[in-house]
Amino acid sequence: MKQSLILAIDTSADDTSAAVTQGTRVLSNVIASQTELHKQYGGIFPTVAKLAHKENIAPTVAAALKRARVAEKDIDAVAVTQGPGLAPALEVGISFAKELTKKWNVPLIPVNHVEGHLLSAIAQPPSAIIKMPLSYPALGIVVSGGHTSFVLIEESNKYKVLGQTLDDAAGECLDKVGRMLNLGYPAGAIIEQFSKLGNSKAIEFPLPLTTVKTFDVSFSGLKTFSRNVLAKKTADQPLTQQEIYNFCASLQYAVFRHICYKISKILEKYSVNEVLLGGGVSANATLRNMLRQPIKKQGLKLKVPYTKRLCMDNAAMIGVVAGMKADPKDKEMEIERQPNLGL
Ligand code: KG4
Ligand code: ZN
């Protein structure tokens, strides 16, 4: 049986993305980045994001169809991120998706953005022939700029959040400390590059939440610790370039050590068949390597997205999740944005 061709849209934050997927296969995944627009604000400016999404959405969808070599008439359903995300940004994608479903007379499938990151590691390249099924139960680790969540995937569509951040997301912490160091926005990828030139043992950061039995994480303490250390160090003279490298390496190590500590505790308690990693920070090679240790101890392998484009915000992950949903919602259904949607 031919699997449905899905046109997927994600406008949850600052990137406008459209993709064509078929089952777990990604036929195209186009991302119109707004990073340059928001750099000057040191974060995402919602009204600017909304305007840029409006401008970019039609050409991005057209490019996704063209790159996948799929005609509009062949699309079986439209999937769109319903939340969580920035309300004005989500609105643009949802309105456009609704227009398309009317025009093409196909169903609309609402998708949770975090579920997209959670399952992004099961996406496959267009050339894949065999679908790689997920072996349940699986552990999903989402580490992004908006979310840090550890989720037990009990079966298809059945999730149990085992732990999550109590304050900032891991990527948000890297971005905020990056701002203190004037590294530009977003800082995660720059911190990864700088860390390669630094000593991760140069500054000893605390390991948060070790005395509590929950699997939650907290990064605000690492941020405050960074601010205090930097204030002290820069009181007399600015940091040397090597000190900046060392600071980045030590911070990155502290953030990832905290995540790995909680993941090892989860794996001691829960027996899972697979571990999936997703979200913008999952592009980081050090995080992947550090996570592999507790996972290997359980005889498991870490599954990561097959390309870095699937780590960041993208529509292909939304299409892959939509392809797993058994019954697309009726095409008349009124979907509303849900900025605070949970799993
Ligand atoms: O998934 P994403 O594109 O957007 C959200 O849903 O948040 O993640 C963006 C986050 C930012 O905080 C960015 O600094 C971080 O991912 N990031 C990285 C790397 N690339 C992006 N963090 C660490 N290392 C990287 N290579
Ligand atoms: Zn995201």
Side-chain angles (χ1 to χ4, degrees):
M1 197 183 76
K2 176 185 162 279
Q3 282 180 308
S4 299
L5 275 171
I6 294 177
L7 183 281
I9 293 173
D10 180 86
T11 60
S12 57
D14 60 341
D15 291 329
T16 316
S17 182
V20 178
T21 57
Q22 188 169 36
T24 50
R25 292 193 308 134
V26 177
L27 306 189
S28 68
N29 191 15
V30 179
I31 304 169
S33 170
Q34 299 178 14
T35 305
E36 284 306 316
L37 276 179
H38 298 280
K39 250 183 186 154
Q40 55 182 312
Y41 306 108
I44 306 173
F45 204 85
T47 46
V48 173
K50 181 180 176 169
L51 278 175
H53 280 311
K54 276 191 160 173
E55 220 168 88
N56 294 339
I57 187 86
T60 305
V61 166
L65 288 166
K66 193 171 172 203
R67 269 187 220 173
R69 296 171 196 253
V70 166
E72 291 184 3
K73 66 170 178 45
D74 294 326
I75 293 292
D76 298 300
V78 175
V80 68
T81 299
Q82 185 176 25
L86 292 172
L90 288 166
E91 188 57 44
V92 180
I94 294 172
S95 310
F96 198 81
K98 282 180 181 171
E99 276 174 36
L100 290 181
T101 56
K102 273 187 207 134
K103 196 167 130 199
W104 298 344
N105 196 28
V106 294
L108 181 59
I109 309 173
V111 175
N112 182 313
H113 180 81
V114 179
E115 200 178 351
H117 281 308
L118 193 65
L119 298 177
S120 55
I122 67 167
Q124 294 181 288
S127 55
I129 304 166
I130 308 163
K131 186 184 167 212
M132 305 284 272
L134 242 188
S135 177
Y136 302 107
L139 173 67
I141 306 170
V142 176
V143 192
S144 75
H147 303 273
T148 303
S149 306
F150 313 139
V151 182
L152 186 67
I153 311 168
E154 291 172 301
E155 53 190 74
S156 179
N157 283 320
K158 197 165 171 218
Y159 303 109
K160 183 175 172 188
V161 178
L162 301 177
Q164 59 193 332
T165 182
L166 300 173
D167 37 61
D168 292 347
E172 191 180 358
C173 171
L174 294 174
D175 292 340
K176 285 180 176 170
V177 179
R179 202 173 302 153
M180 295 175 202
L181 292 164
N182 291 319
L183 299 183
Y185 174 85
I190 301 160
I191 289 178
E192 177 173 26
Q193 293 314 315
F194 280 14
S195 296
K196 288 179 187 159
L197 305 166
N199 173 8
S200 63
K201 304 277 183 317
I203 298 151
E204 204 180 318
F205 278 74
L207 180 59
L209 300 183
T210 48
T211 53
V212 293
K213 283 207 154 51
T214 65
F215 304 119
D216 290 329
V217 281
S218 163
F219 298 100
S220 66
L222 299 179
K223 192 180 61 187
T224 309
F225 183 87
S226 297
R227 186 176 297 118
N228 293 342
V229 170
L230 288 173
K232 224 185 254 171
K233 279 195 181 288
T234 54
D236 303 325
Q237 52 187 357
L239 295 184
T240 63
Q241 197 57 42
Q242 188 57 50
E243 282 175 321
I244 294 176
Y245 294 152
N246 290 346
F247 195 92
C248 287
S250 303
L251 166 76
Q252 182 180 268
Y253 178 69
V255 169
F256 296 165
R257 185 170 71 135
H258 182 27
I259 294 171
C260 289
Y261 177 84
K262 292 294 176 180
I263 293 300
S264 65
K265 294 287 169 200
I266 287 176
L267 290 173
E268 279 168 18
K269 181 164 175 190
Y270 292 90
S271 174
V272 296
N273 293 326
E274 305 220 35
V275 185
L276 316 180
L277 178 66
V281 186
S282 74
N284 189 295
T286 304
L287 173 62
R288 292 177 179 197
N289 284 335
M290 285 175 70
L291 273 173
R292 280 190 182 110
Q293 292 163 23
I295 291 167
K296 199 174 162 199
K297 221 168 136 188
Q298 304 296 329
L300 299 167
K301 263 191 179 166
L302 178 67
K303 218 177 214 175
V304 298
Y306 77 82
T307 135
K308 290 203 174 162
R309 281 176 88 70
L310 281 162
C311 297
M312 60 199 288
D313 285 347
N314 70 93
M317 65 183 191
I318 302 303
V320 167
V321 170
M324 291 175 73
K325 306 245 177 235
D327 52 342
K329 297 278 179 293
D330 188 88
K331 62 175 182 280
E332 303 302 332
M333 199 186 89
E334 266 307 301
I335 291 174
E336 296 300 335
R337 65 188 184 191
Q338 288 195 30
N340 301 312
L341 185 63
L343 264 180

